[in-house]
Amino acid sequence: DVKVTQSSRYLVKRTGEKVFLECVQDMDHENMFWYRQDPGLGLRLIYFSYDVKMKEKGDIPEGYSVSREKKERFSLILESASTNQTSMYLCASSLTYGYTFGSGTRLTVV
Amino acid sequence: SQQGEEDPQALSIQEGENATMNCSYKTSINNLQWYRQNSGRGLVHLILIRSNEREKHSGRLRVTLDTSKKSSSLLITASRAADTASYFCATETTSGTYKYIFGTGTRLKVLA
């Protein structure tokens, strides 16, 4: 079974901190995605990547950046965390269709 | 940008009943998928239906797609308490990008 592992289930950070959310998949998938999930808004795409060192902006990239130095790892970076970035963050990977999601990281920015 | 809208937003049924949830979308699609999310967890892929398909089955799941109405439905037959979850539709609008837009979800509660 494909596994997508997100490093933290719960995270509390302070406003202005630089935050790293890590995501690792173990099935050699080319495609990786970061979404955030908020009540009433569903899942919104932040960034995605089709290959190592490649990244593309999704629908809401402002305030975020990503890094993909290795195929299996896709990191989401909050450059300067703000309270409106409090959310559930979901990482997913895919070979073609059909995502495999991680368990999510619930981030609270205080 | 929000593509899919699920209806109803919430649904409560008795165990053994069928559950139907609907998804409407705005633009032409290449394919549509349904996912399940248990409380506070990641999403799990259930089924994919391509734009040239009208119906697809997987175990107790039946998905239909009507591209003329830009809508899809997910039917869960003989529901169980373990089916309690949120269900999302996701659409790929541009073929081959593998990039999906998710709806806001239907919260299903199955009462034992």
Side-chain angles (χ1 to χ4, degrees), chain A residues 61-76:
Chain A
E62 297 78 21
Y64 304 94
S65 63
V66 290
S67 170
R68 194 164 182 201
E69 295 295 317
K70 293 186 178 181
K71 192 174 188 179
E72 66 269 20
R73 185 181 296 269
F74 192 37
S75 303
L76 180 70

Side-chain angles (χ1 to χ4, degrees), chain A residues 9 35 37 50 97 99 102, chain B residues 35 37 40-42 97-98 100:
Chain A
R9 284 295 320 276
Y35 288 84
Q37 183 178 21
Y50 291 136
Y97 306 108
Y99 286 179
Chain B
Y35 287 80
Q37 183 181 35
R41 310 295 297 189
T97 62
Y98 313 125
Y100 285 84

Side-chain angles (χ1 to χ4, degrees), chain A:
Chain A
D1 274 358
V2 179
K3 282 213 174 118
V4 177
T5 303
Q6 292 185 233
S7 53
S8 305
R9 284 295 320 276
Y10 299 95
L11 213 51
V12 180
K13 295 292 181 180
R14 295 197 180 279
T15 302
E17 274 193 77
K18 190 169 186 175
V19 181
F20 293 85
L21 302 183
E22 305 288 345
C23 175
V24 178
Q25 51 96 0
D26 66 359
M27 282 300 288
D28 207 35
H29 282 178
E30 269 85 24
N31 311 320
M32 296 189 77
F33 306 84
W34 275 106
Y35 288 84
R36 65 176 280 178
Q37 183 178 21
D38 301 287
L41 296 177
L43 279 76
R44 292 179 291 166
L45 182 62
I46 306 171
Y47 267 98
F48 59 104
S49 168
Y50 291 136
D51 203 349
V52 177
K53 297 197 186 293
M54 178 271 178
K55 60 186 177 184
E56 289 209 28
K57 293 179 181 178
D59 297 320
I60 52 163
E62 297 78 21
Y64 304 94
S65 63
V66 290
S67 170
R68 194 164 182 201
E69 295 295 317
K70 293 186 178 181
K71 192 174 188 179
E72 66 269 20
R73 185 181 296 269
F74 192 37
S75 303
L76 180 70
I77 303 156
L78 285 65
E79 298 292 343
S80 176
S82 64
T83 54
N84 63 13
Q85 293 179 308
T86 291
S87 186
M88 169 75 108
Y89 290 88
L90 293 163
C91 174
S93 75
S94 78
L95 195 56
T96 55
Y97 306 108
Y99 286 179
T100 299
F101 278 88
S103 295
T105 295
R106 189 167 293 280
L107 172 68
T108 302
V109 182
V110 297

